């Protein structure tokens, strides 16, 4: 039988010659030039951002599923009911209503195969927050938990959904809308455009439904990352005997959202991070900083959105006297000043900040006073600070809660752009982007912080007003950092980031990620994400005192107390004297032993131990979303039947024709 | 599940070819050789054509006339190739006949000649079907189907399979008509074949019009039937 081999031979050269004749049936022939092109046209891969499965110690939130295939339908009317399992295409502004309804409507819930959230239509959205009305209320150091810090919060992020949810990009929204329209138009029922969600979550496969079991089965990893702290000026080892009291200045670097890769968190909390970096930059220009009475320590915590992982781990490391916090101790912490959400402080033409002081101790009152004198010193810039309303139940959700949980008398203060309710209407949502904040608000906060830190660190010394007035923030640095940390263009490939690290991804995301490192050897972690590494290098660079020899380095420096800044950059970094360290940020209830993570029982001495959700993220192989048209099964069988009939009929005809012709020829 | 559909499309396109192969060609090794040779001929003609047309492709403009020129030149070239094939066959026939004379066996009879031309035509048809349909059908075995925008009533694969079926019939029986025409020096047969080939090829252009596939593909089947009918009439008369 020669035809088989011929066929394969022909197929082999098919691609070469296919270009000659346009695929006869296609109208847009010029665009399809090969079979792979055809496959691409059939299966449209959709750019989208998934919501991935996270587990805590009592169960999971967010979906986790095998391959799901379902027809795409629009869900316009809020009273609609679905006929069959469907992939629902949903405008973002209906997301809250839809998910709230789904949670209360089991009939609808079971008809949903997946949800595709459109990216457009956000211009007229005034508020959207999938987080709770009191985010992370379990960690509040006070009992009044009914206060609504986040009045727009719907809490849909924390419910459990058994279907995949994808956020579409603007381009793919258009594609999906066209397909949904087609599905609405074609009422014949045998053809439908479907979405295929490919999202195999290992925890679903392994049947592990909480953090403890999935960590044991190694189908997930704990959420976490690296926090960074630095001291200004550097702490030299010789001075450990007579250390100064510490003023901690903190900010957080991670946000959360329904869709993990779309967690920018521009106002909450990245505005605070940018203000902290800018304030460090401003203070680094002072010459007499080492003569001040108090030591400034700046810390940027990671994983704060998922149970204050960074701050709580930092405090635990302090207690244990770990290497990562060598040089400071919890007893020395005199004051804690947290920079919260400060990107939206401009209300009536001038920036107005609120100081949320913890407790009523005299020291925290002094901190408010320092902020107010700093605001006065700024004079014509007209930066105002007000103490927060006394009717507030306590400090708003912030890392300060961890410090207060450890020691409720810790004098602390959180600087925010709101009084008793978030001014950020998009808290922990994908819409908390660069458009949600105001760079002059951040610059004002940075100036305020820098000057009040100088006042606070001077303590009872008379304040040198001339020096105080020389403290000025670099406004262009604020703008640059907004571009680097909150936009995709230039994103992390901006100049200042590139001068310190080689980023793995240019589009920034402030989702905490999973803790990929071994907990040991934390001073030089083998894995830290782009943002942490940038913060570490930036802080090390700005807090460094002038090093004697700026020798080139690619890793560690020889001299003790020196670290290598910009080691990843081409041409190597340089050794500087600075006390800048990474501190791991993961749940304090986790312990790494025998190559497996263990969940520790609740520690009775730590009041937050029971509140800790121990978040883990499931392993997954591929996450993908593609759409294509499918035919009804009956149609497929019909085609097969027709094919068989044609073959059989032709065979019959051949037999009959052959015998007939041979008869005729014989007769001749 | 759509393995069924993929198989169905393949059978629509190549089922009759399989029947002819199993019912006629496979019985005589000589015919199998002829079929392979003919396939190779057709392939070479296609490669030469593609080499020439490569310069002008792909056609970016939406106009239909570049396709018409392409089809015209291709048909003319392939008809030329048919003549070359005929000459080669003639030489071979003479050789075989003289060989048969030498070993005092009967010469090729009329049935043999007809079967050779059938195998030759089938070679052309199979090559066409494998090229323009079977290679495109591989994605049809997957989950998805595909509809071209200008043909929203029929799946792309079905259109492709029907076109392939039409050309299989046309190519196969054209060869019988052409060989007969050359042999008996009948002008009408000699003209009929290129004309049918050209008309059928131009008919595929109907598919470029919106919704045209619903008209174009049945018309092509009609052309196939006309060819078959003409061939049949020619044989039994």
């Amino acid at each position: 039988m020669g035809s088989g081999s011929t066929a394969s031979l022909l197929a082999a050269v098919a691609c070469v010659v296919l270009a000659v004749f346009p695929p006869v049936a296609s109208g847009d022939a010029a665009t399809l030039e090969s079979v792979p092109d055809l496959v691409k046209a059939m299966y449209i891969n959709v750019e989208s951002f998934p919501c991935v499965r996270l587990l805590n110690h009592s169960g999971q939130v967010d979906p986790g599923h095998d391959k799901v295939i379902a027809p795409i339908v629009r869900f316009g009317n809020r009273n609609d009911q679905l006929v069959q399992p469907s992939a629902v295409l949903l405008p973002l502004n209906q997301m809250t209503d839809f998910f709230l309804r789904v949670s209360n409507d089991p009939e609808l819930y079971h008809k949903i195969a997946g949800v595709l959230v459109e990216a457009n239509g956000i211009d007229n959205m005034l508020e959207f927050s999938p987080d709770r009305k009191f985010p992370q209320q379990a960690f509040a150091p006070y009992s009044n938990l009914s206060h609504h810090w986040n009045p727009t919060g719907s809490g849909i992020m924390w419910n459990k959904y058994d279907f995949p949810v994808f956020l579409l990009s603007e381009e793919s929204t258009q594609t999906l809308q066209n397909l949904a329209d087609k599905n609405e138009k074609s009422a014949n029922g045998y053809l439908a455009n479907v979405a295929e969600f490919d999202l195999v979550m290992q925890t679903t496969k392994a049947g592990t439904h909480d953090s403890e079991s999935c960590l044991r089965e190694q189908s997930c990893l704990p959420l976490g990352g690296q926090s960074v702290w630095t001291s200004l000026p550097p702490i030299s080892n010789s001075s450990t005997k007579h250390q100064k009291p510490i003023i901690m200045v903190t900010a957080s670097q991670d946000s959360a959202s329904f869709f993990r890769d779309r967690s920018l968190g521009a106002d909450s909390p990245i505005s605070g991070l940018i203000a902290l970096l800018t304030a460090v930059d401003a203070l680094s220009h002072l010459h007499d900083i080492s003569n001040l009475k108090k030591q400034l320590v700046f810390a940027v915590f990671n994983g704060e959105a998922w149970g204050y992982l960074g701050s709580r781990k930092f405090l635990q490391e302090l207690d244990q006297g770990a290497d990562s916090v060598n040089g400071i101790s919890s007893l020395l912490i005199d004051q804690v000043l947290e920079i919260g959400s400060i990107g939206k402080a401009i209300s009536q033409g001038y920036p107005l900040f609120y100081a949320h002081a913890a407790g009523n101790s005299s020291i925290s009152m002094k901190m408010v006073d320092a902020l107010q004198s700093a605001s006065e010193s700024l004079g014509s810039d007209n930066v105002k600070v007000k103490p927060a309303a006394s009717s507030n139940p306590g400090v708003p959700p912030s890392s300060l809660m961890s410090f207060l949980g450890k020691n409720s008398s810790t004098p602390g203060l959180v600087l925010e752009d709101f009084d008793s309710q978030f001014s950020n209407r998009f808290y922990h949502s994908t819409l908390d982007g660069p458009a949600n904040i105001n760079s002059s608000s951040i610059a004002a906060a940075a100036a305020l912080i820098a000057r009040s830190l100088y006042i606070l660190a001077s303590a009872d010394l008379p304040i040198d007003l001339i020096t105080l007035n020389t403290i000025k923030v670099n406004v262009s640095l604020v703008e640059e950092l907004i571009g680097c940390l909150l936009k995709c263009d230039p994103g992390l490939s901006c100049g200042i980031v590139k001068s310190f690290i080689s980023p793995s991804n240019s589009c920034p995301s402030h989702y905490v990620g999973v803790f990929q490192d071994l907990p040991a050897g934390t001073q030089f972690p083998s894995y830290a994400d782009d943002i942490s590494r940038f913060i570490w290098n930036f802080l090390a660079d700005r807090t460094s005192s002038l090093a004697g020899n700026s020798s080139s380095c690619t890793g560690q420096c020889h001299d003790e107390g020196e670290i290598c800044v910009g080691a990843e950059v081409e041409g190597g970094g340089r050794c500087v004297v600075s006390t800048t360290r990474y501190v791991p940020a993961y749940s304090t209830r986790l312990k790494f032993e025998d190559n497996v993570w263990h969940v520790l029982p609740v520690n009775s001495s730590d009041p937050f131990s029971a509140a800790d959700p121990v978040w883990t993220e499931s392993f997954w192989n591929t996450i993908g979303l593609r759409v294509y048209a499918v035919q009804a099964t009956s149609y497929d069988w019909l085609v097969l039947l027709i094919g068989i009939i044609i073959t059989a009929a032709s065979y019959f005809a051949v037999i009959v024709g052959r015998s007939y012709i041979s008869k005729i020829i014989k007769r001749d | 599940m759509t393995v069924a559909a993929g198989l169905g499309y393949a059978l629509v396109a190549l089922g009759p070819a399989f029947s002819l192969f199993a019912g006629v060609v496979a019985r005589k090794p000589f015919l199998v050789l002829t079929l392979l040779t003919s396939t190779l001929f057709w392939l070479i003609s296609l490669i030469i054509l593609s080499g020439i047309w490569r310069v002008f492709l792909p056609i970016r403009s939406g106009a239909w006339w570049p396709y018409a020129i392409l089809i015209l030149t291709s048909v003319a070239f392939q008809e030329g190739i048919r003549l070359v094939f005929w000459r080669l066959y003639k030489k071979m026939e003479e050789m075989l006949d003289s060989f048969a004379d030498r070993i005092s066996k009967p010469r090729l009879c009329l049935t043999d000649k007809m079967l050779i031309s059938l195998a030759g035509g089938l070679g052309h048809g199979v090559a066409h079907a494998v090229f323009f349909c079977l290679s495109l059908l591989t994605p049809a075995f997957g989950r998805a189907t595909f509809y071209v925008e200008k043909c929203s009533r029929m799946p792309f694969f079905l259109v492709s399979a029907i076109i392939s079926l039409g050309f299989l019939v046309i190519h196969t029986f054209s060869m019988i008509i052409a060989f007969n025409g050359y042999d008996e020096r009948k002008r009408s047969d000699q003209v009929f074949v290129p004309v049918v080939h050209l008309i059928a090829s131009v008919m595929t252009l109907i598919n470029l019009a919106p919704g045209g596939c619903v008209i174009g593909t049945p018309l092509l089947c009609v052309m196939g039937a006309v060819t078959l009918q003409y061939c049949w009439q020619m044989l039994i008369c």
Side-chain angles (χ1 to χ4, degrees):
Chain A
M1 300 286 279
S3 76
S5 62
T6 319
S8 60
L9 175 84
L10 292 178
V13 263
C15 295
V16 186
V17 197
L18 201 68
V20 179
F21 290 95
V24 234
S26 76
D28 40 7
T31 57
L32 294 181
E33 286 177 15
S34 62
V35 176
D37 277 358
L38 175 64
V39 174
K40 256 186 234 160
M42 289 170 72
Y43 299 93
I44 305 165
N45 280 310
V46 178
E47 192 196 351
S48 55
F49 308 95
C51 136
V52 296
R53 174 184 250 219
L54 300 174
L55 298 96
N56 61 17
H57 65 77
S58 62
Q60 79 240 25
V61 283
D62 297 351
H65 242 275
D66 279 354
K67 226 173 225 185
V68 181
I69 301 164
I72 304 158
V73 295
R74 255 177 220 276
F75 200 78
N77 194 331
R78 55 184 67 185
N79 297 318
D80 272 0
Q81 195 54 264
L82 296 168
V83 197
Q84 53 174 342
S86 313
V88 177
L89 185 64
L90 202 67
L92 189 59
N93 54 15
Q94 286 176 26
M95 192 175 158
T96 307
D97 288 342
F98 179 78
F99 277 91
L100 286 176
R101 189 185 149 193
V102 162
S103 302
N104 299 320
D105 187 346
E107 196 187 342
L108 181 63
Y109 186 97
H110 292 296
K111 290 264 168 65
I112 296 169
V115 177
L116 302 165
V117 181
E118 293 172 8
N120 52 8
I122 55 173
D123 300 333
N124 51 2
M125 275 184 80
L126 298 175
E127 51 181 51
F128 174 57
S129 173
D131 210 329
R132 294 200 182 94
K133 291 201 190 313
F134 191 148
Q136 309 206 65
Q137 59 180 359
F139 293 93
Y142 42 86
S143 53
N144 178 8
L145 301 180
S146 56
H147 185 82
H148 289 179
W149 288 107
N150 183 24
T152 58
S154 57
I156 55 170
M157 201 172 124
W158 303 102
N159 292 338
K160 176 189 152 192
Y161 306 108
D162 252 343
F163 47 80
V165 185
F166 278 76
L167 177 70
L168 302 171
S169 69
E170 277 181 27
E171 207 177 311
S172 54
T173 301
Q174 203 58 48
T175 316
L176 269 286
Q177 280 178 338
N178 289 343
L179 292 180
D181 285 344
K182 269 190 200 164
N183 274 359
E184 272 170 23
K185 269 187 220 151
S186 72
N188 48 24
Y190 64 82
L191 176 75
N193 288 292
V194 296
E196 181 188 270
F197 302 88
D198 191 359
L199 174 91
V200 180
M201 288 288 158
Q202 294 294 321
T203 48
T204 327
K205 269 190 169 175
T208 47
H209 296 298
D210 60 41
S211 287
E212 194 164 359
S213 60
C214 83
L215 286 170
R216 198 170 48 233
E217 298 292 326
Q218 303 192 348
S219 61
C220 61
L221 273 177
L223 292 194
Q226 300 287 343
S227 305
V228 177
W229 71 270
T230 189
S231 76
L232 187 72
I235 302 168
S236 56
N237 276 356
S238 54
S239 68
T240 36
K241 297 254 159 53
H242 42 91
Q243 273 179 336
K244 302 184 215 171
I246 289 170
I247 300 175
M248 288 269 326
V249 188
T250 70
S252 22
Q253 67 165 81
D254 80 299
S255 182
S257 110
F258 204 99
F259 306 99
R260 68 167 220 158
D261 297 326
R262 278 291 160 111
S263 318
L264 271 179
D267 184 37
S268 326
I270 302 302
S271 60
L273 169 66
I274 294 174
L276 182 137
L277 297 179
T278 315
V280 172
D281 175 65
L283 289 169
S284 70
H285 298 303
L286 291 185
H287 295 297
D288 62 343
I289 197 105
S290 48
N291 301 334
L292 295 174
K293 283 279 212 174
K294 286 181 181 167
Q295 175 76 45
L296 293 176
V297 169
F298 296 88
V300 177
F301 295 126
N302 205 347
E304 295 297 279
W306 298 95
Y308 301 117
L309 301 175
S311 50
R312 290 173 51 231
K313 190 70 193 172
F314 176 80
L315 289 170
Q316 192 193 39
E317 299 262 297
L318 274 182
D319 279 356
Q320 292 168 352
D323 272 353
S324 58
V325 289
N326 189 12
I328 51 175
S329 93
S330 55
L331 297 174
L332 287 169
I333 296 177
D334 187 43
Q335 296 157 29
V336 180
L337 172 58
E338 174 159 359
I339 316 173
S341 314
I342 43 84
K344 291 172 75 75
I346 296 178
S347 53
Q348 286 147 353
Y350 59 90
L352 170 61
F353 297 98
Y354 291 91
H356 297 254
N360 246 342
S361 72
S362 57
I363 304 180
S364 57
M365 284 300 106
K366 261 188 204 160
M367 293 174 77
V368 177
D369 291 343
L371 279 168
Q372 268 164 346
S373 356
S375 108
E376 276 158 29
S377 81
L378 283 166
S380 60
D381 287 345
N382 214 356
V383 182
K384 297 272 179 267
V385 184
K386 275 188 190 170
S390 56
S391 56
N392 287 349
V395 293
S398 57
S399 312
L400 185 58
M401 286 182 171
S402 305
F403 287 88
L404 294 173
K406 196 99 204 155
N407 176 5
S408 59
S409 60
T410 310
L413 183 149
V414 190
L415 191 70
E416 302 273 14
D417 56 9
F418 59 87
D419 189 357
S420 54
Q421 287 180 340
F422 290 173
S423 54
N424 182 6
R425 317 299 284 171
F426 303 113
Y427 183 79
H428 280 178
S429 84
T430 56
L431 300 182
D432 190 4
N436 196 30
I437 54 166
N438 192 323
S439 63
S440 53
S441 170
I442 297 176
L448 189 68
I449 296 281
R451 289 197 179 186
S452 50
L453 284 178
Y454 183 76
I455 297 168
L456 285 171
S458 305
D460 43 357
L461 286 174
I463 296 159
D464 180 355
L465 281 175
I466 297 164
T467 316
L468 182 67
N469 285 327
T470 59
I471 302 177
K472 293 227 159 63
V473 298
N474 182 351
V475 179
S476 63
L477 178 68
V478 175
E479 301 277 2
E480 193 177 2
L481 287 173
I482 289 176
C484 298
L485 298 176
L486 295 174
K487 293 177 182 166
C488 280
D489 180 33
L492 294 177
S493 40
C494 67
I496 190 166
V497 174
K498 279 252 168 131
S499 68
F500 289 123
I501 63 165
S502 51
S504 60
N505 203 343
S506 86
C507 223
S509 171
H510 300 295
Y511 171 66
V512 56
V514 291
F515 192 81
Q516 299 185 12
D517 227 347
L518 296 180
T522 46
Q523 198 171 341
F524 299 101
S526 55
Y527 181 85
D529 64 16
D530 287 344
I531 309 287
S532 297
R533 290 199 327 277
F534 166 65
I535 294 169
W536 184 90
N537 280 286
F538 181 91
L539 291 178
D541 178 63
R542 297 299 146 104
T543 59
S544 61
S545 52
L546 298 162
N549 57 333
S550 54
S551 53
S552 174
C553 59
T554 52
Q556 300 183 16
C557 295
H558 298 297
D559 291 355
E560 210 180 330
E562 282 193 7
I563 51 175
C564 185
V565 171
E568 299 167 36
V569 179
E570 218 171 297
R574 58 208 159 76
C575 287
V576 296
V577 178
S578 171
T579 313
T580 305
R581 305 228 175 88
Y582 289 108
V583 186
Y586 57 89
S587 171
T588 51
R589 275 186 66 191
L590 287 171
K591 196 177 178 194
F592 194 74
E593 228 174 31
D594 308 327
N595 287 322
V596 181
W597 288 95
H598 296 278
V599 177
L600 301 174
V602 174
N603 180 355
S604 54
S605 69
D606 178 4
F608 289 156
S609 179
D612 192 338
V614 196
W615 289 110
T616 52
E617 182 182 318
S618 170
F619 284 149
W620 39 268
N621 293 340
T622 50
I623 291 185
L625 171 64
R626 54 182 195 172
V627 291
Y628 49 81
V630 291
Q631 222 117 37
T633 326
S634 53
Y635 183 89
D636 291 348
W637 289 113
L638 185 70
V639 170
L640 182 62
L641 187 69
I642 291 172
I644 291 171
I645 288 172
I646 287 180
T647 311
S650 61
Y651 190 77
F652 183 70
V654 165
I655 302 295
V656 171
R658 198 183 59 195
S659 54
Y660 185 73
I661 286 172
S662 59
K663 249 185 235 166
I664 290 174
I665 287 168
K666 264 177 205 156
R667 220 187 296 148
D668 288 349
Chain B
M1 286 315 281
T2 41
V3 172
L7 213 59
Y9 293 132
L11 281 179
V12 168
L14 278 167
F18 177 78
S19 302
L20 276 172
F21 186 83
V24 181
V25 177
R27 292 161 180 246
K28 297 188 178 173
F30 187 72
L31 293 180
V32 177
L33 281 176
T34 315
L35 187 136
L36 286 179
T37 318
S38 152
T39 317
L40 190 71
F41 251 80
W42 200 80
L43 257 184
I44 291 169
S45 81
L46 211 57
I47 288 170
I48 293 170
L49 270 174
S50 71
I52 297 166
W53 271 96
R54 187 81 202 149
V55 190
F56 307 101
L57 290 173
I59 298 163
R60 292 285 174 213
S61 74
W64 59 272
W65 57 266
Y67 296 111
I69 296 172
L70 194 151
I71 284 173
L72 202 69
T73 52
S74 305
V75 169
F77 187 77
Q78 289 193 331
E79 289 305 322
I81 287 287
R82 198 196 298 279
L83 266 173
V84 175
F85 189 63
W86 158 255
R87 298 243 177 270
L88 278 176
Y89 159 73
K90 222 39 204 169
K91 275 213 177 114
M92 191 192 61
E93 194 192 313
E94 275 166 25
M95 273 163 60
L96 283 176
D97 278 348
S98 60
F99 183 69
D101 287 346
R102 244 188 294 144
I103 57 168
S104 43
K105 284 270 168 72
R107 289 181 153 215
L108 284 174
C109 67
L110 188 63
T111 325
D112 287 336
K113 286 180 184 170
M114 199 204 76
L115 287 178
I116 286 172
S117 58
L118 177 88
L122 190 61
H124 275 32
V126 166
H128 181 279
V130 169
F131 240 93
F132 292 130
C133 180
L134 211 60
S135 62
L136 292 179
L137 276 187
T138 39
F141 287 85
R143 281 205 183 92
T145 184
F146 185 62
Y147 281 70
V148 173
E149 215 164 289
K150 287 188 175 156
C151 179
S152 54
R153 303 271 187 83
M154 286 165 89
F156 173 70
F157 303 110
L158 186 63
V159 174
S160 167
I162 292 175
I163 288 174
S164 199
L165 173 66
F167 272 102
L168 182 89
V169 173
I170 291 168
H171 277 311
T172 308
F173 296 100
S174 287
M175 195 67 100
I176 301 176
I177 298 168
F179 273 33
N180 198 51
Y182 298 145
D183 221 10
E184 296 175 3
R185 297 183 196 286
K186 257 172 85 179
R187 185 56 66 176
S188 62
D189 290 356
Q190 285 175 19
V191 173
F192 177 83
V193 170
V195 168
V196 164
H197 191 176
L198 189 64
I199 292 174
S201 304
V202 170
M203 268 180 187
T204 57
L205 287 179
I206 298 174
N207 294 318
L208 291 179
C213 56
V214 184
I215 304 160
T217 47
L219 273 180
L220 199 63
C221 292
V222 170
M223 281 315 289
V226 167
T227 316
L228 187 59
Q229 165 70 13
Y230 189 92
C231 181
W232 183 256
Q233 288 295 329
M234 193 189 73
L235 286 179
I236 59 171
C237 287

